[in-house]
Amino acid sequence: MKSGLKVESDPRPILACTVCRDVQNFDLLIVDMEEVMGDQWGDLGFSDALTFFDQAEAQHLEFIALAIDDLDEDEPELLKRVVIEAKKRGIRTLLIAEDVTPALLHQLLRMGADEFIPYPPPSGELMDIVETLRQAEDVVDEIPEAVPAAEPEAVPAVAAVPDAAPDAEAAHSVSLKKDAPEAHGVLIATHGLAGGVGASTLSTNLAWELATVSKKNAPTVCLIDLDLQFGSVSTYLDLPRRDAVLELLTDTESMDSESFGQALQKYEDKLNVLTSPTDMVPLDLISNEDVQRVLDIACRHFDFVVVDMPTTIVQWTEVVLQAAHVYFALTDIDMRSAQNTMRMKRALQAEEMPFEKLRYVLNRAPKFTDLSGKSRIKRMSESLGISMEVQLPDGGKAVQASGDHGQPLALSASKNPLRREIAKLAQSLAELEEKSARVG
């Protein structure tokens, strides 16, 4: 049960378990558990948990995360029994609930559940509660001493960034160093599942937010436009298209750091960009090997590499999907997006490609007060069997104006709600990458 950050390879005791009907219904809980517990957690069904409590491995359990939704209300006695049996063995119960009646919550808390967290969980909430529980146990078991406050962590609606490169010597200019280490930076891809859903807007603004996330120690970022026919990154950043790009892509065997750097352009001296070619070229002009070489050299020199993908599926789509740490699939709340999402899911499953890597992003999401819109999102997610892990608000006319003027939203409309959400996403990714580098 891993979504990303690799803490240790040695087997260690299980310290926590999620207990639910199907953990895939609680994707954000998976992310939080990985952040808090690393690889020292597991997943159990309700009946399985009762059996596991009597096994030797259960003696190390610190807590269980009992995750329930409205479909679990038909078996209240089973849920109560899980809470009671856990309490008998000194195992704390964290109640994670979505669309559950207050009556059931009250009953479970009376049976001995220790904490309640609504689903989706607030950012950093699980970390804060677990730290509080551990500090309380330390006070009982040891001589009291000053305990540092838990450091809050920002958790995104996506799965965590795996194996980000520690201490990668990234290039700070287009003139890249030839002796860059083999360690890889974090690769993020954006793929629109229908035309006009905002994939290029997200990739461009996310890359800029990552490049400016900190005034002192901002990560180095490279934005690559692989939409060879209709790529718009150069337009969104008001950068010219260079012939060097096509020369690079069609002769990757002789590519080195110097030639790759010559094809890049700097935006505001902070963001490195590989635009789409000057002329429209076939998407199959480049091979799987060509794409892999470009990704490899980019990841050797930069902390983050953001790839804007074409809507069309081509052979080398699998290369990017396999290499990506996070693969954002953007949709809109309309029928065409729903149909294309289902087609994409079926195609990846048929080819045995890692469709579970897709992190679905809903653009132009309804406002918090739009209950009808929220209901539509839930029905759409359930019918497609997916989870909308990121919901971006409608940025309005400012988004189009930003692209036409060749500026990121941060420069043209810094208070725009879409810009704020993308900035939060970038901050979360940067913090996860930094933590992964420290662990590594």
Side-chain angles (χ1 to χ4, degrees):
M1 180 67 59
K2 293 181 180 289
S3 61
L5 290 174
K6 183 178 180 181
V7 181
E8 290 184 17
S9 57
D10 298 330
R12 296 185 292 171
I14 298 298
L15 301 181
C17 282
T18 55
V19 180
C20 54
R21 186 181 68 260
D22 184 356
V23 73
Q24 297 303 322
N25 294 333
F26 299 89
D27 287 353
L28 297 182
L29 177 59
I30 295 176
V31 175
D32 280 9
M33 290 292 289
E34 287 288 344
E35 282 304 296
V36 177
M37 305 305 300
D39 59 357
Q40 292 186 272
W41 71 283
D43 173 60
L44 298 168
F46 300 125
S47 299
D48 295 335
L50 296 174
T51 303
F52 182 74
F53 288 158
D54 293 326
Q55 298 179 8
E57 294 85 348
Q59 65 181 339
H60 301 289
L61 282 181
E62 296 179 358
F63 68 91
I64 60 170
L66 181 61
I68 58 176
D69 57 25
D70 55 335
L71 298 180
D72 298 313
E73 296 203 43
D74 295 335
E75 297 183 294
E77 296 305 318
L78 179 58
L79 302 179
K80 293 178 186 178
R81 187 181 172 194
V82 170
V83 174
I84 293 172
E85 293 300 321
K87 189 173 184 64
K88 286 181 180 178
R89 294 162 176 78
I91 303 170
R92 296 183 180 273
T93 299
L94 307 185
L95 189 58
I96 317 293
E98 179 182 26
D99 297 332
V100 175
T101 61
L104 179 59
L105 293 177
H106 179 65
Q107 293 177 43
L108 294 177
L109 289 170
R110 286 188 60 189
M111 292 299 105
D114 297 276
E115 295 284 349
F116 164 66
I117 304 176
Y119 187 87
S123 177
E125 183 72 8
L126 183 62
M127 171 66 77
D128 291 342
I129 289 178
V130 173
E131 287 294 333
T132 300
L133 295 178
R134 288 173 173 172
Q135 290 170 13
E137 291 178 357
D138 290 342
V139 170
V140 174
D141 297 337
E142 302 176 3
I143 298 175
E145 56 183 283
V147 181
E151 180 182 351
E153 297 184 14
V155 182
V158 286
V161 180
D163 299 332
D167 301 325
E169 184 182 352
H172 292 276
S173 68
V174 181
S175 178
L176 305 179
K177 296 184 179 180
K178 297 180 180 180
D179 56 349
E182 292 299 318
H184 274 53
V186 178
L187 180 61
I188 303 170
T190 63
H191 191 135
L193 298 184
V197 296
S200 295
T201 297
L202 175 60
S203 62
T204 303
N205 284 277
L206 180 60
W208 175 255
E209 296 293 345
L210 286 169
T212 58
V213 70
S214 171
K215 293 183 179 180
K216 294 183 179 179
N217 299 309
T220 55
V221 182
C222 180
L223 173 60
I224 300 177
D225 192 346
L226 284 185
D227 189 347
L228 307 183
Q229 297 182 333
F230 298 105
S232 54
V233 166
S234 61
T235 302
Y236 286 175
L237 296 177
D238 195 22
L239 294 173
R241 291 179 171 87
R242 291 181 175 176
D243 293 334
V245 173
L246 186 57
E247 295 174 5
L248 177 80
L249 294 176
T250 54
D251 188 20
T252 60
E253 291 186 6
S254 60
M255 177 181 59
D256 56 17
S257 297
E258 182 177 354
S259 60
F260 180 67
Q262 289 175 352
L264 296 177
Q265 297 184 67
K266 276 278 192 179
Y267 180 78
E268 295 291 332
D269 202 35
K270 295 179 180 179
L271 176 62
N272 297 271
V273 184
L274 185 70
T275 69
S276 56
T278 304
D279 299 316
M280 183 185 298
V281 297
L283 291 175
D284 58 0
L285 178 71
I286 56 178
S287 66
N288 292 5
E289 292 75 18
D290 293 326
V291 173
Q292 188 66 63
R293 293 186 189 109
V294 170
L295 297 180
D296 286 344
I297 195 169
C299 288
R300 285 202 301 270
H301 287 283
F302 296 95
D303 297 323
F304 285 94
V305 177
V306 181
V307 180
D308 189 24
M309 296 289 288
T311 302
T312 305
I313 301 295
V314 289
Q315 270 196 330
W316 46 264
T317 300
E318 181 179 4
V319 175
V320 182
L321 179 59
Q322 294 282 5
H325 297 106
V326 183
Y327 199 99
F328 289 124
L330 277 84
T331 70
D332 216 330
I333 188 166
D334 56 20
M335 184 58 68
R336 68 192 182 113
S337 294
Q339 291 175 342
N340 288 350
T341 300
M342 182 57 70
R343 290 169 180 165
M344 180 75 155
K345 183 178 178 180
R346 288 174 178 171
L348 296 183
Q349 288 176 323
E351 296 296 326
E352 297 184 350
M353 293 168 63
F355 73 95
E356 68 277 358
K357 269 196 171 185
L358 268 59
R359 295 294 175 260
Y360 296 94
V361 179
L362 178 64
N363 198 10
R364 305 179 186 91
K367 296 181 180 179
F368 179 75
T369 55
D370 185 357
L371 299 182
S372 175
K374 294 290 185 182
S375 178
R376 288 179 61 196
I377 295 174
K378 184 176 181 181
R379 291 198 302 271
M380 179 178 175
S381 300
E382 290 176 348
S383 64
L384 295 174
I386 64 173
S387 174
M388 294 296 180
E389 299 185 31
V390 180
Q391 296 186 27
L392 301 176
D394 189 347
K397 295 181 179 179
V399 178
Q400 181 178 352
S402 171
D404 288 344
H405 296 159
Q407 289 184 318
L409 284 168
L411 301 181
S412 62
S414 60
K415 296 183 179 180
N416 185 276
L418 176 60
R419 184 263 163 170
R420 289 180 175 177
E421 287 303 313
I422 295 178
K424 290 178 183 178
L425 180 59
Q427 181 69 42
S428 300
L429 290 168
E431 290 177 357
L432 286 170
E433 189 274 344
E434 182 181 354
K435 178 183 177 182
S436 180
R438 291 200 304 266
V439 172

